[in-house]
Amino acid sequence: MSDSLPSGVLVGAMLRRVNDAGGIGTVLARGDAQAGAILVITLEKGVNSGAYERGIGPEGKVALVRVGPQAIDRNEEMSDYWRRRRARDPDLWVIELDIASAERFAAETIVQG
């Protein structure tokens, strides 16, 4: 049995934390409630700042890893990216966070030690 919380619980907690801090959290695609991967698209004042997901960092430990297109200023590229990912993995959660330090909110919630 895994020590990590179900994906649906992690997503719910992340959205509540962001909304409580005055930001906006949106589910763009609902994944598997138990074990779906979580892709977090971060924005600040409506401008893309990146895409992240839980993975293995440079130190070999679980970390929030940057993924997706490098040209984050193009909304259509980010949208195309997550739609392609979702087509290959229907269990994938796609979450959009619009708040300052969105990456920190995601890391504190979905990266478990």
Side-chain angles (χ1 to χ4, degrees), residues 18-91:
V18 167
N19 289 329
D20 288 350
I24 299 171
T26 307
V27 176
L28 299 178
R30 186 173 302 277
D32 182 76
Q34 292 301 311
I38 303 170
L39 175 66
V40 179
I41 299 170
T42 59
L43 301 130
E44 189 166 344
K45 296 181 182 178
V47 178
N48 279 325
S49 58
Y52 301 87
E53 85 182 279
R54 185 177 173 176
I56 303 300
E59 297 85 29
K61 296 181 181 178
V62 174
L64 199 63
V65 178
R66 188 169 184 141
V67 296
Q70 297 303 309
I72 57 174
D73 57 334
R74 297 189 186 130
N75 289 338
E76 67 277 352
E77 284 186 33
M78 188 63 76
S79 181
D80 289 346
Y81 172 75
W82 77 257
R83 289 177 194 282
R84 282 191 311 274
R85 288 283 313 278
R86 177 83 172 147
R88 289 190 310 265
D89 181 3
D91 292 335

Coordinates of all heavy atoms in Angstrom, one line a residue, residues 18-91:
V18 N -5.3 27.6 -2.4 CA -5.1 28.7 -3.4 C -6.3 29.6 -3.3 O -6.1 30.8 -3.2 CB -4.9 28.2 -4.8 CG1 -5.1 29.3 -5.8 CG2 -3.6 27.5 -5.0
N19 N -7.5 29.1 -3.2 CA -8.7 29.9 -3.1 C -8.7 30.7 -1.8 O -9.1 31.9 -1.7 CB -10.0 29.1 -3.3 CG -10.1 28.7 -4.7 OD1 -9.7 29.3 -5.7 ND2 -10.7 27.5 -4.9
D20 N -8.3 30.0 -0.7 CA -8.2 30.7 0.6 C -7.2 31.8 0.6 O -7.4 32.8 1.4 CB -7.9 29.7 1.7 CG -9.0 28.8 2.1 OD1 -10.2 29.0 1.6 OD2 -8.8 27.8 2.8
A21 N -6.2 31.7 -0.2 CA -5.1 32.8 -0.3 C -5.5 33.9 -1.3 O -4.7 34.7 -1.5 CB -3.8 32.1 -0.6
G22 N -6.7 33.8 -1.9 CA -7.1 34.9 -2.8 C -6.8 34.6 -4.2 O -7.1 35.5 -5.1
G23 N -6.4 33.4 -4.6 CA -6.1 33.1 -5.9 C -7.3 32.3 -6.5 O -8.3 32.2 -5.9
I24 N -7.1 31.8 -7.7 CA -8.1 31.1 -8.4 C -7.5 29.7 -8.8 O -6.4 29.7 -9.5 CB -8.6 31.8 -9.7 CG1 -9.2 33.1 -9.3 CG2 -9.6 30.9 -10.5 CD1 -9.5 34.0 -10.5
G25 N -8.1 28.6 -8.4 CA -7.7 27.3 -8.8 C -8.9 26.7 -9.6 O -10.0 26.7 -9.2
T26 N -8.5 26.1 -10.8 CA -9.5 25.5 -11.7 C -9.1 24.1 -12.1 O -7.9 23.9 -12.4 CB -9.6 26.4 -12.9 OG1 -9.9 27.8 -12.5 CG2 -10.7 25.9 -13.8
V27 N -10.0 23.2 -12.1 CA -9.8 21.9 -12.7 C -10.1 21.9 -14.2 O -11.3 22.1 -14.6 CB -10.7 20.8 -12.0 CG1 -10.5 19.5 -12.6 CG2 -10.4 20.8 -10.5
L28 N -9.1 21.8 -15.0 CA -9.3 21.8 -16.5 C -9.7 20.4 -17.0 O -10.4 20.3 -18.0 CB -8.0 22.3 -17.2 CG -7.6 23.7 -16.9 CD1 -6.3 24.0 -17.6 CD2 -8.7 24.7 -17.2
A29 N -9.2 19.4 -16.3 CA -9.5 18.0 -16.6 C -9.4 17.1 -15.3 O -8.5 17.2 -14.6 CB -8.6 17.4 -17.7
R30 N -10.5 16.4 -15.1 CA -10.6 15.6 -13.9 C -9.9 14.2 -14.2 O -10.3 13.6 -15.2 CB -12.0 15.4 -13.4 CG -12.2 14.7 -12.1 CD -13.6 14.7 -11.7 NE -14.1 16.1 -11.5 CZ -14.0 16.8 -10.4 NH1 -13.3 16.4 -9.4 NH2 -14.5 18.0 -10.4
G31 N -9.0 13.8 -13.4 CA -8.4 12.5 -13.6 C -8.9 11.4 -12.6 O -9.9 11.6 -12.0
D32 N -8.1 10.3 -12.5 CA -8.4 9.3 -11.6 C -8.3 9.7 -10.2 O -7.3 10.3 -9.7 CB -7.5 8.1 -11.8 CG -7.8 6.9 -10.9 OD1 -8.8 6.2 -11.2 OD2 -7.1 6.7 -9.9
A33 N -9.4 9.5 -9.4 CA -9.5 10.0 -8.0 C -8.4 9.4 -7.1 O -8.0 10.0 -6.1 CB -10.9 9.8 -7.5
Q34 N -8.0 8.2 -7.4 CA -7.0 7.5 -6.5 C -5.6 7.7 -6.9 O -4.8 8.0 -6.1 CB -7.3 6.0 -6.5 CG -8.6 5.7 -5.8 CD -8.7 6.1 -4.4 OE1 -7.8 5.9 -3.6 NE2 -9.7 6.8 -4.0
A35 N -5.3 7.5 -8.2 CA -3.8 7.4 -8.6 C -3.5 8.2 -9.8 O -2.4 8.0 -10.4 CB -3.4 6.0 -8.8
G36 N -4.3 9.2 -10.2 CA -4.0 9.9 -11.4 C -2.9 10.9 -11.2 O -2.7 11.5 -10.1
A37 N -2.0 11.1 -12.2 CA -0.9 12.1 -12.1 C -1.6 13.4 -12.1 O -2.7 13.6 -12.6 CB 0.0 11.9 -13.3
I38 N -0.9 14.4 -11.6 CA -1.4 15.8 -11.5 C -0.5 16.7 -12.2 O 0.7 16.9 -11.8 CB -1.6 16.2 -10.0 CG1 -2.4 15.3 -9.2 CG2 -2.1 17.7 -9.9 CD1 -2.4 15.5 -7.7
L39 N -1.0 17.4 -13.3 CA -0.3 18.4 -14.0 C -0.8 19.7 -13.6 O -2.0 20.0 -13.6 CB -0.5 18.2 -15.5 CG 0.1 19.3 -16.4 CD1 1.6 19.2 -16.4 CD2 -0.4 19.1 -17.9
V40 N 0.1 20.6 -13.1 CA -0.3 21.9 -12.6 C 0.2 23.0 -13.6 O 1.4 23.1 -13.8 CB 0.2 22.2 -11.2 CG1 -0.2 23.6 -10.7 CG2 -0.2 21.1 -10.2
I41 N -0.7 23.8 -14.1 CA -0.3 24.9 -15.0 C -0.4 26.1 -14.1 O -1.5 26.4 -13.5 CB -1.3 25.0 -16.2 CG1 -1.2 23.7 -17.0 CG2 -1.0 26.2 -17.0 CD1 -2.2 23.6 -18.1
T42 N 0.7 26.9 -14.0 CA 0.7 28.0 -13.1 C 0.6 29.3 -13.9 O 1.2 29.4 -15.0 CB 2.0 28.0 -12.3 OG1 3.2 28.1 -13.2 CG2 2.1 26.8 -11.4
L43 N -0.1 30.2 -13.4 CA -0.3 31.5 -13.9 C -0.1 32.6 -12.8 O -0.3 32.3 -11.7 CB -1.7 31.7 -14.5 CG -2.1 30.7 -15.6 CD1 -3.5 30.1 -15.2 CD2 -2.2 31.4 -16.9
E44 N 0.2 33.8 -13.3 CA 0.2 34.9 -12.4 C -0.4 36.1 -13.1 O 0.0 36.5 -14.1 CB 1.6 35.3 -11.9 CG 1.6 36.3 -10.8 CD 3.0 36.4 -10.1 OE1 3.8 35.6 -10.2 OE2 3.1 37.4 -9.4
K45 N -1.6 36.5 -12.5 CA -2.4 37.5 -13.2 C -2.8 37.2 -14.6 O -2.7 38.0 -15.5 CB -1.7 38.9 -13.1 CG -1.5 39.4 -11.7 CD -0.8 40.7 -11.6 CE -0.6 41.1 -10.2 NZ 0.1 42.3 -10.0
G46 N -3.1 35.9 -14.8 CA -3.5 35.4 -16.1 C -2.4 35.1 -17.1 O -2.7 34.7 -18.2
V47 N -1.2 35.3 -16.7 CA -0.1 35.0 -17.6 C 0.6 33.7 -17.3 O 1.0 33.5 -16.1 CB 1.0 36.2 -17.6 CG1 2.1 35.9 -18.5 CG2 0.3 37.5 -18.0
N48 N 0.8 32.8 -18.2 CA 1.4 31.5 -18.0 C 2.8 31.7 -17.4 O 3.6 32.5 -17.8 CB 1.6 30.7 -19.3 CG 0.3 30.0 -19.7 OD1 -0.4 29.6 -18.8 ND2 0.1 29.9 -21.0
S49 N 3.1 30.9 -16.4 CA 4.4 30.9 -15.8 C 5.1 29.6 -15.8 O 6.2 29.4 -15.4 CB 4.4 31.5 -14.4 OG 3.6 30.8 -13.5
G50 N 4.4 28.5 -16.3 CA 5.0 27.2 -16.4 C 4.0 26.1 -16.2 O 2.8 26.3 -15.8
A51 N 4.5 24.9 -16.3 CA 3.7 23.7 -16.0 C 4.6 22.7 -15.2 O 5.8 22.6 -15.5 CB 3.2 23.0 -17.3
Y52 N 4.0 22.1 -14.2 CA 4.8 21.3 -13.3 C 4.0 20.0 -13.0 O 2.8 20.0 -13.0 CB 5.0 22.0 -12.0 CG 5.8 23.3 -12.2 CD1 5.1 24.5 -12.5 CD2 7.2 23.4 -12.1 CE1 5.8 25.7 -12.7 CE2 7.8 24.6 -12.3 CZ 7.1 25.7 -12.6 OH 7.8 26.9 -12.8
E53 N 4.8 19.0 -12.6 CA 4.2 17.8 -12.1 C 5.1 17.1 -11.2 O 6.3 17.3 -11.2 CB 3.6 16.9 -13.2 CG 4.5 15.9 -13.9 CD 3.8 15.2 -15.0 OE1 3.0 14.2 -14.7 OE2 3.9 15.6 -16.1
R54 N 4.6 16.2 -10.4 CA 5.4 15.5 -9.4 C 6.3 14.5 -10.1 O 5.8 13.8 -11.0 CB 4.4 14.7 -8.5 CG 5.1 14.0 -7.3 CD 4.1 13.4 -6.4 NE 4.8 12.6 -5.5 CZ 4.2 11.9 -4.5 NH1 2.9 12.0 -4.4 NH2 4.9 11.2 -3.7
G55 N 7.5 14.5 -9.8 CA 8.5 13.6 -10.4 C 9.7 13.4 -9.6 O 9.7 13.8 -8.4
I56 N 10.8 12.9 -10.2 CA 12.0 12.8 -9.5 C 12.9 13.9 -9.9 O 13.2 14.1 -11.0 CB 12.7 11.4 -9.8 CG1 11.8 10.2 -9.5 CG2 14.0 11.3 -9.1 CD1 11.3 10.1 -8.0
G57 N 13.4 14.7 -8.8 CA 14.2 15.8 -9.1 C 15.7 15.4 -9.2 O 16.1 14.3 -9.2
P58 N 16.6 16.4 -9.4 CA 18.0 16.2 -9.7 C 18.7 15.4 -8.5 O 19.7 14.7 -8.8 CB 18.6 17.6 -9.8 CG 17.4 18.5 -10.0 CD 16.2 17.8 -9.5
E59 N 18.2 15.6 -7.3 CA 18.8 14.9 -6.2 C 18.3 13.4 -6.0 O 18.7 12.7 -5.1 CB 18.5 15.6 -4.9 CG 19.2 17.0 -4.8 CD 18.3 18.1 -5.5 OE1 17.0 17.9 -5.5 OE2 18.8 19.0 -6.0
G60 N 17.4 13.0 -6.9 CA 16.9 11.7 -6.8 C 15.7 11.5 -5.9 O 15.2 10.4 -5.6
K61 N 15.2 12.7 -5.4 CA 14.0 12.7 -4.5 C 12.8 13.2 -5.2 O 12.9 13.9 -6.2 CB 14.3 13.6 -3.3 CG 15.5 13.0 -2.4 CD 15.7 13.9 -1.2 CE 16.9 13.4 -0.4 NZ 17.2 14.3 0.7
V62 N 11.6 12.9 -4.6 CA 10.4 13.4 -5.2 C 10.4 14.9 -5.1 O 10.7 15.5 -4.1 CB 9.2 12.8 -4.4 CG1 7.9 13.4 -4.9 CG2 9.1 11.3 -4.5
A63 N 10.0 15.5 -6.2 CA 10.0 17.0 -6.3 C 9.0 17.4 -7.4 O 8.5 16.6 -8.1 CB 11.4 17.4 -6.8
L64 N 8.8 18.7 -7.4 CA 7.9 19.3 -8.4 C 8.8 19.6 -9.6 O 9.8 20.3 -9.5 CB 7.2 20.6 -7.9 CG 6.0 21.0 -8.7 CD1 4.9 20.0 -8.6 CD2 5.5 22.4 -8.2
V65 N 8.6 19.0 -10.8 CA 9.4 19.1 -11.9 C 8.7 19.9 -13.0 O 7.6 19.7 -13.3 CB 9.8 17.7 -12.4 CG1 10.6 17.7 -13.7 CG2 10.4 16.8 -11.4
R66 N 9.5 20.8 -13.6 CA 8.9 21.6 -14.7 C 8.8 20.7 -15.9 O 9.7 20.0 -16.3 CB 9.8 22.8 -15.0 CG 9.2 23.7 -16.0 CD 9.9 25.0 -16.1 NE 9.2 25.9 -17.0 CZ 9.0 27.2 -16.8 NH1 9.5 27.8 -15.8 NH2 8.3 27.8 -17.7
V67 N 7.7 20.8 -16.6 CA 7.4 20.1 -17.8 C 6.8 21.0 -18.9 O 6.5 22.1 -18.6 CB 6.5 18.9 -17.6 CG1 7.1 17.9 -16.6 CG2 5.1 19.3 -17.0
G68 N 6.6 20.5 -20.1 CA 5.9 21.2 -21.1 C 6.7 22.2 -21.9 O 7.9 22.2 -21.9
P69 N 6.0 23.0 -22.7 CA 6.7 23.9 -23.7 C 7.5 25.0 -22.9 O 7.1 25.4 -21.8 CB 5.6 24.5 -24.5 CG 4.3 24.3 -23.6 CD 4.6 23.1 -22.8
Q70 N 8.6 25.3 -23.5 CA 9.4 26.4 -23.0 C 8.8 27.8 -23.3 O 9.1 28.7 -22.5 CB 10.8 26.3 -23.5 CG 11.5 25.0 -23.1 CD 11.6 24.8 -21.6 OE1 12.0 25.7 -20.8 NE2 11.1 23.7 -21.1
A71 N 8.1 27.9 -24.3 CA 7.5 29.2 -24.7 C 6.2 29.3 -24.0 O 5.1 29.1 -24.5 CB 7.3 29.3 -26.2
I72 N 6.3 29.7 -22.7 CA 5.1 29.7 -21.8 C 4.2 30.9 -22.1 O 3.1 30.9 -21.6 CB 5.5 29.7 -20.3 CG1 6.4 30.9 -20.0 CG2 6.1 28.4 -20.0 CD1 6.7 31.0 -18.6
D73 N 4.7 31.9 -22.8 CA 3.9 33.1 -23.1 C 2.8 32.8 -24.2 O 1.9 33.6 -24.4 CB 4.7 34.2 -23.5 CG 5.6 33.9 -24.7 OD1 5.9 32.7 -25.0 OD2 6.0 34.9 -25.4
R74 N 2.8 31.6 -24.8 CA 1.9 31.3 -25.8 C 0.8 30.3 -25.2 O 1.1 29.1 -25.0 CB 2.6 30.7 -27.0 CG 3.5 31.6 -27.7 CD 4.0 31.0 -29.0 NE 5.1 31.8 -29.5 CZ 6.2 31.4 -29.9 NH1 6.5 30.1 -29.8 NH2 7.1 32.2 -30.4
N75 N -0.4 30.9 -24.9 CA -1.4 30.1 -24.3 C -1.8 28.8 -25.1 O -2.1 27.8 -24.6 CB -2.6 30.9 -24.0 CG -2.4 31.9 -22.9 OD1 -1.6 31.7 -22.1 ND2 -3.2 33.0 -22.9
E76 N -1.8 29.0 -26.4 CA -2.2 27.8 -27.3 C -1.2 26.7 -27.2 O -1.6 25.5 -27.3 CB -2.4 28.3 -28.7 CG -1.2 28.7 -29.5 CD -0.8 30.2 -29.3 OE1 -1.5 30.9 -28.6 OE2 0.3 30.6 -29.7
E77 N 0.1 27.0 -27.0 CA 1.1 25.9 -26.9 C 0.9 25.1 -25.6 O 1.0 23.9 -25.6 CB 2.5 26.5 -27.0 CG 2.9 26.8 -28.4 CD 4.4 27.2 -28.4 OE1 5.2 26.7 -27.7 OE2 4.7 28.1 -29.3
M78 N 0.6 25.8 -24.5 CA 0.3 25.2 -23.2 C -0.9 24.3 -23.3 O -1.0 23.2 -22.9 CB 0.2 26.2 -22.1 CG 0.2 25.6 -20.7 SD 1.6 24.7 -20.3 CE 2.8 26.0 -19.9
S79 N -2.0 24.9 -23.9 CA -3.2 24.2 -24.1 C -3.0 22.9 -24.9 O -3.5 21.8 -24.6 CB -4.3 25.1 -24.7 OG -5.5 24.4 -24.9
D80 N -2.3 23.0 -26.0 CA -2.0 21.9 -26.9 C -1.2 20.8 -26.1 O -1.5 19.6 -26.3 CB -1.2 22.3 -28.1 CG -2.0 23.1 -29.1 OD1 -3.3 23.1 -29.0 OD2 -1.4 23.7 -30.0
Y81 N -0.3 21.3 -25.3 CA 0.5 20.4 -24.6 C -0.3 19.5 -23.6 O -0.2 18.3 -23.6 CB 1.6 21.1 -23.8 CG 2.4 20.2 -22.8 CD1 3.3 19.3 -23.3 CD2 2.1 20.2 -21.4 CE1 4.0 18.5 -22.4 CE2 2.8 19.4 -20.6 CZ 3.7 18.5 -21.0 OH 4.3 17.7 -20.2
W82 N -1.1 20.2 -22.8 CA -1.9 19.4 -21.8 C -3.0 18.5 -22.5 O -3.3 17.4 -22.0 CB -2.4 20.2 -20.6 CG -3.6 21.1 -20.9 CD1 -3.6 22.4 -21.0 CD2 -5.0 20.7 -20.8 NE1 -4.9 22.9 -21.1 CE2 -5.8 21.8 -21.0 CE3 -5.6 19.5 -20.7 CZ2 -7.2 21.8 -21.0 CZ3 -7.0 19.4 -20.7 CH2 -7.8 20.6 -20.9
R83 N -3.5 19.0 -23.6 CA -4.5 18.2 -24.3 C -3.9 16.9 -24.9 O -4.5 15.8 -24.9 CB -5.2 19.0 -25.3 CG -6.2 20.0 -24.7 CD -6.8 20.9 -25.8 NE -7.4 22.0 -25.2 CZ -8.6 22.1 -24.6 NH1 -9.3 20.9 -24.4 NH2 -9.1 23.2 -24.1
R84 N -2.6 17.0 -25.4 CA -1.9 15.8 -25.9 C -1.6 14.9 -24.7 O -1.8 13.7 -24.9 CB -0.6 16.2 -26.6 CG -0.8 16.8 -28.0 CD 0.6 16.9 -28.7 NE 1.6 17.5 -28.0 CZ 1.8 18.9 -27.9 NH1 1.1 19.7 -28.6 NH2 2.8 19.4 -27.2
R85 N -1.2 15.4 -23.6 CA -0.9 14.6 -22.5 C -2.1 13.9 -22.0 O -2.1 12.7 -21.7 CB -0.3 15.4 -21.3 CG 1.0 16.0 -21.4 CD 2.1 14.9 -21.2 NE 1.9 14.2 -19.9 CZ 2.2 14.5 -18.7 NH1 2.8 15.7 -18.5 NH2 1.9 13.8 -17.7
R86 N -3.2 14.6 -21.9 CA -4.5 14.0 -21.5 C -5.0 12.9 -22.4 O -5.6 11.9 -22.0 CB -5.5 15.2 -21.4 CG -6.9 14.7 -21.0 CD -7.0 14.6 -19.5 NE -8.4 14.3 -19.3 CZ -8.9 13.6 -18.3 NH1 -8.1 13.0 -17.5 NH2 -10.2 13.4 -18.2
A87 N -4.8 13.1 -23.7 CA -5.2 12.1 -24.7 C -4.4 10.8 -24.5 O -5.0 9.7 -24.7 CB -5.0 12.6 -26.1
R88 N -3.2 10.9 -24.1 CA -2.3 9.7 -23.8 C -2.6 9.1 -22.5 O -2.4 7.9 -22.2 CB -0.9 10.0 -24.0 CG -0.4 10.3 -25.4 CD 1.1 10.3 -25.5 NE 1.8 11.2 -24.6 CZ 2.1 12.5 -24.8 NH1 1.8 13.0 -26.0 NH2 2.7 13.2 -23.9
D89 N -3.1 10.0 -21.5 CA -3.3 9.5 -20.1 C -4.6 10.1 -19.6 O -4.7 11.1 -19.0 CB -2.1 10.0 -19.2 CG -2.3 9.5 -17.8 OD1 -3.2 8.8 -17.5 OD2 -1.4 9.9 -17.0
P90 N -5.7 9.3 -19.8 CA -7.0 9.9 -19.4 C -7.2 10.0 -17.9 O -8.1 10.6 -17.4 CB -8.0 8.9 -20.0 CG -7.2 7.6 -20.3 CD -5.8 8.1 -20.5
D91 N -6.2 9.4 -17.1 CA -6.3 9.5 -15.7 C -5.6 10.8 -15.2 O -5.6 11.0 -14.0 CB -5.6 8.3 -15.0 CG -6.3 7.0 -15.3 OD1 -7.6 7.0 -15.5 OD2 -5.7 5.9 -15.3

